[in-house]
Amino acid sequence: MTVFHAALALESHGGTPSFLDVTGQVRGAIAASGIGNGIVAVMSPHTTCSVYYDEWAHDTVEDGSDFLQHDLNRVLGLICPDQTRFPPSDGYSYPGTRHFEEVESWPSAEEYLPGGDRSALLNADAHLKASIVGSSQAFPLIDGELGFGVTGYIFFVDWDRDRPRTRTCRVTVIGE
């Protein structure tokens, strides 16, 4: 048995959730692995991002999301409305004062609080949406191909709308 790891660098756009089709890049990782049969795991290491499987709906809205992605975000927004006000309100407790103070003490604080702006951490809704949708998916690998049909796509979504950023998606191929 062989294990192969790849890291995909992705760019989110901010403003709205970023839905990114990573199917082609996952297929590229499979090809690079040389593994023909096994399991492909696709995972987000970020707590405000998800990996999910769906079809591409072709019609899109202004931010590039297709209609199914737009509908998913709208429905999740009924459960977890966008957190936009400081201090945390609208039923959200996160982030609390101790969390702000901890993040401000990190060597990389500027990355999480650009210009010291605490509102950059108003993303409780993004954490909850990522928890609901999940951070990973596993797919069968059969004769060097993903084990799903032509309508299936693998999407990485960054639910955090605060700003554009570079995200990582991890691909692990295990098999023979």
Side-chain angles (χ1 to χ4, degrees):
M1 177 169 45
T2 302
V3 177
F4 176 86
H5 297 285
L8 312 178
L10 306 171
E11 298 296 325
S12 66
H13 54 68
T16 61
S18 299
F19 290 88
L20 307 168
D21 174 10
V22 296
T23 313
Q25 292 165 285
V26 171
R27 285 189 170 118
I30 292 167
S33 77
I35 298 171
N37 292 288
I39 298 288
V40 179
V42 183
M43 186 259 183
S44 167
H46 307 286
T47 59
T48 59
C49 298
S50 297
V51 173
Y52 75 102
Y53 173 73
D54 205 350
E55 78 177 41
W56 171 250
H58 301 94
D59 298 290
T60 60
V61 296
E62 301 79 37
D63 69 3
S65 301
D66 77 24
F67 280 8
L68 282 172
Q69 296 162 349
H70 180 74
D71 290 345
L72 175 62
N73 185 50
R74 184 182 53 75
V75 168
L76 287 175
L78 296 173
I79 302 166
C80 311
D82 291 350
Q83 184 183 33
T84 58
R85 293 192 307 213
F86 182 79
S89 57
D90 301 322
Y92 292 113
S93 301
Y94 173 88
T97 303
R98 288 179 62 193
H99 186 65
F100 283 124
E101 291 167 355
E102 178 64 26
V103 173
E104 288 167 338
S105 76
W106 296 350
S108 58
E110 181 63 24
E111 178 183 345
Y112 296 93
L113 298 167
D117 181 8
R118 284 185 165 188
S119 70
L121 291 184
L122 295 179
N123 62 359
D125 62 295
H127 285 280
L128 296 171
K129 291 170 185 173
S131 293
I132 291 168
V133 174
S135 63
S136 65
Q137 292 283 314
F139 302 94
L141 177 61
I142 305 165
D143 297 328
E145 299 292 330
L146 287 164
F148 55 74
V150 297
T151 60
Y153 289 81
I154 304 167
F155 294 101
F156 179 98
V157 58
D158 184 352
W159 299 107
D160 201 337
R161 309 161 326 281
D162 178 58
R163 63 190 177 280
R165 59 183 94 189
T166 300
R167 295 298 201 174
T168 300
C169 181
R170 303 217 182 270
V171 180
T172 302
V173 186
I174 304 169
E176 302 173 0

